[in-house]
Amino acid sequence: MEKRLSRYIWKHTRAQQLWILLVVAVSMIPYFLSFDLPKQIVNGPIQGDGFDRPDATQTFMNINFDLPYIGNVELFSGLELTRMQMLFGLSLVFLVLVIINGLFKFYINTYKGRLGERLLRRIRFELVDRILRFPPTQFKRMKGAEVSSMVKDEVEPLGGFTGDAFVSPALLGGQALTALFFIFMQNVWLGLIAGVMVGVQAVIIPRMRRRLLVLGRERQITARELAGRVSEIVDGIGTIHAYDTSNFERADIAARLGRIFKIRYDLYQWKFLVKFINNFLAQLTPFLFYCIGGYLALQGQLDIGQLIAVISAYKDLPGPLKDLIDWDQTRQDVQVKYVQVVEQFSAEQIIDSKIQALSSDTAPMPAPLAAVNLTLADDSGARLIERVSVQIKHGETVAIIGGAGAGGDVLAEAFARLIWPESGKVTAGGEDILDLPESVVGRGLTYVSSDAYFFYGTLGENLLYGLKHAPLSERSYSGADATQRKWDVNEARLAGNPDYDTKADWIDYRAASATGADDIFPSLLEVLDTVQLSKDILDLALRTVIDPADHPELAAGIVEMRHALRDELEEAGLSGLVVPFEPGAYNIEATVGENLLFGTAVGPALAGKALGKNAYFRSVVGQSGLDRVLFDMGYSIAENAVELFADLPPDHPFFQQLTFMSADDLPYYQATLQKLKGRGYDAASEDERSSIIRLSALYVEPRHRFGLLTRELMEKIVDVRHQFYDGMPEELKGAIERYDPERYVASASLMDNVLFGRISQKHADGSKRIRSIVSSLLNTLGLLEQVLRIGGDFNVGAGGKRLTAVQRQKLNLARALVRGSEYYVFNRPLPGLDHRLQDEIVRDVMKLLRRNGREPALIWVLSNTGLSHLFDRVLVFDRGQLVEDGTPDTLAEKSGVFKELVSS
């Protein structure tokens, strides 16, 4: 990148800068004319100069030029106007000049803004492009939050300055010189006064503002460091809580904020001191004009019109002058920021842009893959492996084993170009792998480690991320979308950005053994089954709430599946495993509140606490007397809970069984019981009634077993339910979604819709058995693919943190297996799994990669050395050296490191 911002701006916007400079030069003509016009109005029509008689006239708008060799050329002879007509004529001309000057400013400012935003877009893209081409070691010395802060915030002023880099000094300088020249034309002494004051401002103010530049630079650096520190707190929050260092972090942040406060306070003080001096000097000149100009006018050496014109012209001088001084400060400020950005984004060995050139063609990766006298070192210079030479042929399966720090893992990283050689090289087909295009190595070699990173988005998007190499099919646009697309493409090219369409189809389906989006699911399901992730995705899907309008076929299929589930349970002799919701019956496994509403509140009128305050609901419950019954029931629940659990510590496991009350609620109910002392419903306040009835609403007899739910009460609840729905006002009918056996419940999860009831508490393993049956039914009814797609829409969160560590490792491995490559390098990808699961998955992965006649090379750095017998060849590392290389059987016969590792 260019070292000087002005040179960078001129290089990329030369044509636009010349055009806008031309426009600025033209705009000076009406700008100058607007200065002279007030004098003509005052001296002419107002004071009567040239209108000696009442019927006197003057020529208006006579346009003529004296040209050399040609003489006088008259374009318009003008109009003869009286004194009053001349007043209105000149006033209208002044208004026209005001409009013209305003339009020039509008065009110039709009053009500058667009030019600045375009260059800002170019700068930001170049910075991100350089990040993508940094060598691996560069990222070990960078904080992501600081870099992103620079790309987002610190280059922002550079874009704003772009439009002003050449235009502002020309425009502001032109305006200031025009005003100053006009003043000199009116009176030399007044012109000298204005010139001297302008010189003083131009010398003193920039010198005083140098301190502002230093403070601004310090503020920028400290703010960037604060962003990096906050990012570290977010990333290391687990460590902070584990070691009780939260107060140390608070102290550190407070100290940093204190330093920033001091810098900013000093900045404000100095800034407003400079502003005070600048304003004082600007107002001192009018004082001199009034004194000296007034004196000259009284002496008859200056007419009133000239004095008014001078004062009017000077009004337009401090503004451009101040802006010009501000521009110079901004220039220095953005130059400092630009230099800092360039320094931060400079690297000794940056990847050539040709290596990452876009390619939609898939070229095979050359074979064999080899390390040639390879030596790797860490950032401190310590050798990780030394003079290792090994060759991996196409189709080989190679296990790499060794103790901690033995070196096998860094060899795998070198194959994936995540660490660059200190000496020697990694080759593919005899060519240095660092010189091969990423379109060859990045597709021909797939690397996986336990360090899994997932981008913010859905599980499905992350699963297919490794297939997004290039846009393979363009998206068609029409109408306004087509116009917008053309505009986007044009702007991207003008800003030096690629015009790739992110809405096009970037997925390489052929690499996933598919022809398109319609037939990729079998390949994905096979991979998910291989890494044993299908069940996790199915569970995510079954807990998801969907809109049936978006998935009408799936919603209809789920409703049909309810009946199939009943038949399945009946055949298996498990009809009591799920207690269904029935309009005319009480569901003993559901809460009292669920049975009473028999639906889900979808509007604010009946949701949460609003239900208890709703006038209609209270009238129905009150007229039936159910409110008093539920209060007595809740009172008994509170008494039982207080009696049983009052003396237990808050973390006692018994509290997990209390779905209607937490340990923190116990003191409140204890105090409420002591206050009421059994006096009943009438003695309780409104809040006490609500809190006690709430206990009844959350009560489930088979779970809590207080023996409070009688058959009469269940019948009464069902009866009140019917009354509630029969007389419901029209305005409330949309606020609740009633349970209907023949309709999909939009506010419930997929699993709740399948069950349409509650699992019986009588079966300890009921949930597990139901999930197994549901999974089998989904597959039988052809709904499994649709449901798994719902699971694929699960948002994994920032860095995939909404998934468990084991799920992240499985998804990371699945993302690699989706791709078809010539080489697979697995660097301990599943450390979070036990040896049994690792054994199963390793075997299944090897079978998967050998399907359909494929024979890719497989390199696996094993954390479980007992699996080495599954491979054709074993590489044994010890203390950075390749100490053994051979088949598992051959190495087992020797008394070497391999035998020690396997036996241990």
Side-chain angles (χ1 to χ4, degrees), residues 529-530 532 839-849:
D529 287 340
T530 298
Q532 301 184 18
D839 190 339
E840 292 177 6
I841 292 178
V842 170
R843 291 175 186 273
D844 291 342
V845 166
M846 296 182 73
K847 290 178 184 177
L848 178 71
L849 296 180

Side-chain angles (χ1 to χ4, degrees), residues 4 228 246 499 503 568 606 617 650 662 683 702 733 891:
R4 293 194 61 81
S246 58
D499 57 358
K503 295 180 180 179
E568 186 80 13
L606 297 175
F617 178 79
S662 67
K733 289 185 178 179
L891 296 179

Side-chain angles (χ1 to χ4, degrees), residues 705-738:
R705 301 179 183 179
F706 289 163
L708 300 174
L709 199 62
T710 63
R711 180 169 297 279
E712 292 77 12
L713 179 55
M714 289 189 286
E715 292 175 355
K716 187 176 186 63
I717 290 171
V718 173
D719 183 55
V720 172
R721 177 206 302 170
H722 292 312
Q723 295 178 33
F724 175 71
Y725 281 106
D726 291 343
M728 180 178 288
E730 287 295 327
E731 61 269 16
L732 290 181
K733 289 185 178 179
I736 189 167
E737 187 177 15
R738 190 175 182 179

Side-chain angles (χ1 to χ4, degrees), residues 291-564:
C291 289
I292 299 173
Y295 173 78
L296 293 174
L298 292 174
Q299 294 296 319
Q301 299 179 24
L302 184 71
D303 62 55
I304 300 300
Q306 286 178 314
L307 180 59
I308 293 175
V310 167
I311 295 174
S312 176
Y314 183 77
K315 282 198 309 181
D316 291 323
L317 183 59
L321 185 62
K322 176 181 177 298
D323 291 341
L324 198 58
I325 295 173
D326 290 341
W327 172 87
D328 185 62
Q329 182 193 357
T330 304
R331 178 187 63 81
Q332 298 178 54
D333 188 34
V334 295
Q335 175 61 33
V336 170
K337 291 181 178 179
Y338 179 76
V339 170
Q340 288 183 335
V341 169
V342 170
E343 290 174 352
Q344 187 74 19
F345 283 83
S346 297
E348 294 180 1
Q349 294 177 298
I350 196 164
I351 299 172
D352 192 327
S353 58
K354 296 179 181 178
I355 298 292
Q356 297 181 343
L358 182 74
S359 175
S360 56
D361 298 326
T362 304
M365 182 172 170
L369 180 67
V372 181
N373 201 25
L374 182 66
T375 298
L376 302 173
D378 61 17
D379 288 348
S380 67
R383 298 288 176 86
L384 301 175
I385 61 173
E386 192 167 4
R387 294 190 297 276
V388 170
S389 294
V390 66
Q391 188 178 94
I392 312 295
K393 297 179 181 179
H394 190 70
E396 275 192 293
T397 59
V398 181
I400 300 177
I401 64 173
D409 52 347
V410 292
L411 175 63
E413 292 179 2
F415 285 150
R417 300 165 302 163
L418 298 181
I419 183 171
W420 287 6
E422 184 178 71
S423 65
K425 58 183 178 179
V426 177
T427 64
E431 299 182 64
D432 193 327
I433 199 171
L434 296 179
D435 295 333
L436 290 173
E438 281 195 2
S439 60
V440 174
V441 182
R443 303 177 198 181
L445 187 147
T446 296
Y447 173 84
V448 192
S449 71
S450 60
D451 186 16
Y453 185 84
F454 298 101
F455 297 94
Y456 188 88
T458 68
L459 189 149
E461 290 169 346
N462 278 281
L463 180 62
L464 298 176
Y465 182 77
L467 301 175
K468 298 178 180 180
H469 312 301
L472 300 179
S473 61
E474 293 294 331
R475 179 175 177 178
S476 60
Y477 293 91
S478 60
D481 291 337
T483 304
Q484 181 64 40
R485 174 60 185 160
K486 289 180 182 178
W487 189 88
D488 291 341
V489 169
N490 182 57
E491 280 299 316
R493 291 173 179 172
L494 289 172
N497 290 189
D499 57 358
Y500 309 145
D501 185 5
T502 56
K503 295 180 180 179
D505 195 348
W506 285 67
I507 298 175
D508 184 3
Y509 294 103
R510 287 184 302 172
S513 303
T515 59
D518 296 333
D519 63 347
I520 196 174
F521 179 77
S523 299
L524 298 181
L525 182 59
E526 190 175 11
V527 168
L528 295 174
D529 287 340
T530 298
V531 300
Q532 301 184 18
L533 189 61
S534 308
K535 180 179 178 297
D536 297 85
I537 297 178
L538 181 60
D539 287 344
L540 292 174
L542 291 174
R543 292 194 295 268
T544 301
V545 177
I546 67 168
D547 186 348
D550 296 333
H551 307 275
E553 294 182 6
L554 177 59
I558 292 296
V559 172
E560 293 179 9
M561 186 175 167
R562 291 174 185 168
H563 307 297

Side-chain angles (χ1 to χ4, degrees), residues 777-841:
L777 274 177
L778 287 171
N779 192 27
T780 303
L781 299 176
L783 298 175
L784 184 61
E785 177 177 349
Q786 296 181 62
V787 173
L788 286 178
R789 287 183 185 275
I790 299 297
D793 291 335
F794 177 78
N795 192 301
V796 300
K801 292 181 180 178
R802 294 188 68 197
L803 302 175
T804 65
V806 171
Q807 287 173 338
R808 287 198 296 271
Q809 290 176 15
K810 289 181 178 180
L811 180 59
N812 193 34
L813 182 57
R815 178 168 60 183
L817 296 176
V818 166
R819 297 157 38 103
S821 299
E822 285 84 21
Y823 286 87
Y824 290 88
V825 180
F826 300 117
N827 191 357
R828 296 192 176 99
L830 303 170
L833 278 65
D834 60 45
H835 284 186
R836 181 186 63 81
L837 276 178
Q838 285 190 32
D839 190 339
E840 292 177 6
I841 292 178

Side-chain angles (χ1 to χ4, degrees), residues 8-9 12-13 16-17 108-126 151-153 155-165 487 491-492 494-497:
Y8 180 88
I9 293 173
H12 294 292
T13 64
Q16 293 87 351
Q17 297 287 357
I108 291 170
N109 289 330
T110 303
Y111 195 91
K112 286 194 308 179
R114 186 174 183 181
L115 189 62
E117 289 300 317
R118 191 177 289 159
L119 193 80
L120 178 61
R121 177 176 178 176
R122 179 187 291 273
I123 293 173
R124 281 175 169 162
F125 178 81
E126 285 192 18
V151 174
K152 174 182 175 290
D153 298 322
V155 299
E156 184 83 25
L158 307 187
F161 179 73
T162 298
D164 296 328
W487 189 88
E491 280 299 316
L494 289 172
N497 290 189

